[in-house]
């Protein structure tokens, strides 16, 4: 049984105060519930405040990026070990916005993921096709190409996020059937790369316009083990509602 993982990707929104308040709510609601994993990924400047509040609870805090080298002359970048020093457990790598706006490639994303795992962080590795590729019928070919780099990672500290680019921030969600098709394909593919036992245990998250009103159906799919939530994660009530859609949720403190 895979433990559902629901992650908030705040992107470039929110400072220390907003993140601390948000994590405080998450800790109060879900902080002693080990049946699902909740990860909050605010911008770098908010990480210390968020990590301090989450400390000692089941709520994890994660970064949105880290560099592939352990240290050096890389102005504007942050090393995985620096995130670990703050008490972080997770980092998002290879997000499509990094690929689209900052020149991220499969190779650089893989390097960042390996560096994160070397430092002891678990990785949410993002991949997904553009609208053009989907319409050309190349979705699975894209996923096959993008996922090849996962062979170099440790399955124990890994979750994969399937995020169709056309669904991110657009309000256009993949149907549950589209998500399940991609997730089942990825699980089979990862089985070939990392072994079937590792693939069976690996969490594959769906991301792309997940909202409170579509989360239950998406999270109800057999191979959808959680969600990476952008816009709808900025509000604690909405994000809480999405977490409650994760299978196995039992309201204990509410
Ligand atoms: P969205 O973003 O939920 O705003 O579509 C998801 C993501 O980019 O991780």
């Amino acid at each position: 049984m895979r433990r559902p993982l629901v992650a908030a990707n705040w992107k470039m929104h929110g400072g220390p105060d907003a993140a601390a308040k948000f994590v405080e709510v998450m800790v109060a609601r879900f902080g002693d519930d080990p049946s699902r994993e909740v990860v909050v990924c605010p911008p770098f400047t908010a990480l210390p405040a968020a990590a301090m509040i989450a400390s000692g609870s089941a709520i994890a805090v994660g970064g949105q990026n880290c560099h592939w080298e352990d240290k050096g002359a890389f102005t504007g970048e942050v090393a995985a070990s620096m995130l670990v020093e703050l008490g972080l457990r997770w980092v998002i790598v290879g997000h499509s916005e990094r690929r689209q706006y900052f020149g991220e490639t499969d190779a650089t994303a893989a390097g960042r993921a390996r560096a994160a795992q070397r430092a002891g962080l678990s990785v949410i590795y993002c991949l997904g096709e553009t609208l053009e590729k989907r319409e050309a019928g190349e979705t699975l070919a894209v996923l096959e190409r993008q996922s090849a780099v996962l062979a170099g990672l440790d399955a124990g500290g890994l979750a994969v996020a399937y995020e169709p680019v056309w669904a991110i921030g657009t309000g256009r969600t993949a149907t549950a059937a589209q998500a399940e098709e991609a997730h089942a394909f990825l699980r089979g593919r990862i089985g070939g790369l990392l072994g079937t036992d590792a693939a069976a245990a690996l969490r594959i998250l769906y991301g792309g316009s997940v909202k409170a009103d579509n989360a239950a159906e998406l999270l109800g799919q057999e191979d959808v083990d959680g969600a990476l939530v952008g816009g709808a994660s900025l509000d604690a009530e909405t994000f809480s509602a999405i977490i409650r859609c994760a299978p196995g949720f039992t309201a204990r403190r509410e």
Side-chain angles (χ1 to χ4, degrees), residues 56-218:
S57 80
I59 306 299
V61 173
Q64 297 176 13
N65 185 30
C66 68
H67 198 257
W68 55 81
E69 294 291 347
D70 298 332
K71 62 179 176 207
F74 301 104
T75 302
E77 289 283 327
V78 168
S81 61
M82 297 169 183
L83 302 182
V84 171
E85 212 176 324
L86 292 178
L88 269 52
R89 283 182 262 159
W90 287 90
V91 65
I92 297 169
V93 170
H95 190 279
S96 69
E97 286 150 15
R98 303 289 317 166
R99 295 175 190 257
Q100 189 178 347
Y101 303 124
F102 302 102
E104 191 85 274
T105 64
D106 294 336
T108 57
R112 294 180 197 276
R114 282 195 301 271
Q117 291 195 332
R118 266 199 314 275
L121 289 174
S122 293
V123 171
I124 298 176
Y125 193 91
C126 305
L127 33 75
E129 81 287 359
T130 59
L131 183 58
E132 189 191 355
K133 295 291 184 189
R134 174 161 284 272
E135 286 177 343
E138 292 172 23
T139 297
L140 301 185
V142 169
L143 297 183
E144 183 162 347
R145 174 178 59 74
Q146 291 180 334
S147 60
V149 300
L150 299 177
L153 297 179
D154 168 19
L158 180 66
V160 170
Y162 168 61
E163 298 206 309
V165 177
W166 48 271
I168 296 178
T170 59
R172 197 178 152 185
T173 320
T175 64
Q178 285 172 325
E180 175 57 23
E181 182 197 21
H183 283 228
F185 173 80
L186 280 169
R187 197 176 304 286
R189 165 81 170 137
I190 292 163
L193 295 168
L194 295 170
T196 46
D197 287 352
L202 185 96
R203 270 91 54 92
I204 305 180
L205 320 182
Y206 170 80
S209 297
V210 175
K211 306 273 184 267
D213 61 5
N214 61 25
E217 201 191 350
L218 287 160

